Amino acid sequence: MDILRRMAEYRSEEENLKWEGTFSEYVELLKERPWVAQSAHSRVYNMIKDAGVEEKNGKKQYLFFKNQLFGLEEPLEKLVEEYFHPAARRLDVKKRILLLMGPVSGGKSTLVTMMKRGMEAYSRTDRGAVYAIKGCPMHEDPLHLIPHALREDFQKEYGIRIEGNLSPLNLMRLEKEFDGQIENVPVERIFFSEDKRVGIGTFSPSDPKSQDIADLTGSLDFSTIAEYGSESDPRAYRFDGELNKANRGMMEFQEMLKCDEKFLWHLLSLTQEGNFKAGRFALISADEMIVAHTNETEYRSFISNRKNEALHSRIIVMPIPYNLQVTQEEKIYEKLISESDVAGVHIAPHTLKIAAMFTILTRLKEPKRKDIDLIKKMRLYDGETVEGFNGADLQELKTEYDDEGMNGIDPRYVINRISSTIIRKEVSSINALDVLRSLKEGLDQHASITKDVKEAYLGYISLARREFDDMAKKEVQKAFVYSYEESAKTLMDNYLDNVEAYCHKSKLRDPLTGEEMTPDEKLMRSIEEQIGISENAKKAFREEILIRISTYARKGKRFDYQSHDRLREAIQKKLFADLKDVVKITTSSKTPDEQQLKKMNEVIARLIDEHGYNTSSANELLKYVGSLLNR
């Protein structure tokens, strides 16, 4: 891409977006595009909705958050449906501060940053266009120029409700510069920008002794008092506080509850009445969505202070817990690694998944039900099928605790340990064992972990290691079986022939001798036992298989090795059990013969070509599985 040419095109596109005209021309524009006059809350909601909405399992997923926030679909749906949507419809929710409350590194800051960047981009679209009185430091809504006596008639004609009063500065400009001729006041299109302080404000608390309320509401310009003769002249005031600049858009309060109380009191009238006090002026109207974020400890301390009760009722708290799905946690790590300078290092398959399993286990609470353990709960949360459990069980588990996901290991810790592994090893690849070892070592350096918590976390590392052991065996199993699909198909066909004869109470015919044989119970049980099918359950399982075959035939589809998940798993385990001795001898031999060496090379090639390993990680996997089988 020619960057200089692209920059010229970008400038041209920016110029084409600009618009200037008089108030009368702006009113004509509203006839064609009435949505331009939407409120700040409405603009935020439409920005999210216009990005697209998908429905999955009866739940809405807003595509605005896709590829940036993972595993937070339910909290985000609640946020949109219970805050943004009603606030956009001018319900009382818009008079509340939105407080995102959750653990560190849980996605609160990312969510707010996405909204700020989204607002910047949305203001450059037709649906998100914003217009303001030209030259106004607060980017004021031009409709504030319409006198209160005429607003009801305007609403009847245009269907647009006007809220707020003209600011002191624009009131003076209207009288002195335009002689009260509202129709001649200039209007321009503005574009939100945090960097240029247009429509997006950010306030971060600092030392209460040095931080000035002027950071929020602006300040008096003493150098102009001699020129204008009075401190109450709006021209002698700098309307450059964060609340001024955030008008028409959104205001972020970083770590809001760390702010000094005098800063929070200004939010009382801003949230409830839509205005705030600045200097020696009447209340100044502001249309902005206030978003704050904090952690649970600070929030509990805040609500326990009776002096803060006035603010309690003006805050809507939205919990943003940690993600509780392994596959989504993997995506978080993939995203963070892709943004780093170590993106070129080979990470062996399952490495991030095992790290994610450990992380999720630290966040889950022990099930209250006795028939389910933490591993099964983790699998159910991740959307896996677990024998004996269904969707109702999953919903029951999710309602056992109100605060699940508010504690545990944060993604930053895991990424720090993965980074440490990469840097320390100074090799081209890392695997799951490397990362688990690093996670374990890092617990000693984790300042906030108590001795009891550390013991629990070490237990979770052991559970994750056990899961990796199973994955490693299966991976080698697949690579070791020559013509794996053919072997699986042959075994399955043999099993199905016997199952059909068993269910129909018929006999099989030997293809070589032609003699009749009873169904091979030993073969069928050797496969079924691989997935825990009991003697009492075998008949129901076999009949279920036949029903599935019949359903496929009726639909004109072919039943194959991939058509039944549990049967496929049983076939895989049976094949591996039969091959275990071959694998053990081949991987553990210190001086492999020519035949063993050939088999090893074929397995390594298959691991590289079909399973995503490189030479180093494939060799490490084989050695590890060999050691497991020799124990």
Side-chain angles (χ1 to χ4, degrees), residues 595-606:
Q595 190 65 27
Q596 289 171 338
L597 199 59
K598 180 183 177 184
K599 185 167 285 193
M600 288 277 282
N601 289 333
E602 288 175 349
V603 170
I604 289 171
R606 192 167 284 109

Side-chain angles (χ1 to χ4, degrees), residues 492 531 541 544-546 548-549 552 559-571:
M492 187 193 74
I531 52 172
F541 180 74
E544 177 198 326
I545 296 291
L546 279 191
R548 179 73 63 89
I549 293 172
Y552 268 59
F559 185 89
D560 60 21
Y561 163 66
Q562 303 288 343
S563 300
H564 194 285
D565 290 340
R566 297 188 66 218
L567 179 57
R568 182 181 68 224
E569 182 187 353
I571 297 288

Side-chain angles (χ1 to χ4, degrees), residues 66-93:
K66 197 173 183 181
N67 301 325
Q68 291 294 324
L69 293 170
F70 303 98
L72 295 177
E73 289 80 14
E74 289 185 21
L76 290 173
E77 181 185 12
K78 184 178 179 182
L79 175 63
V80 174
E81 296 301 318
E82 294 187 16
Y83 183 81
F84 292 136
H85 192 183
R89 302 293 294 271
R90 298 181 188 270
L91 292 170
D92 219 44
V93 171

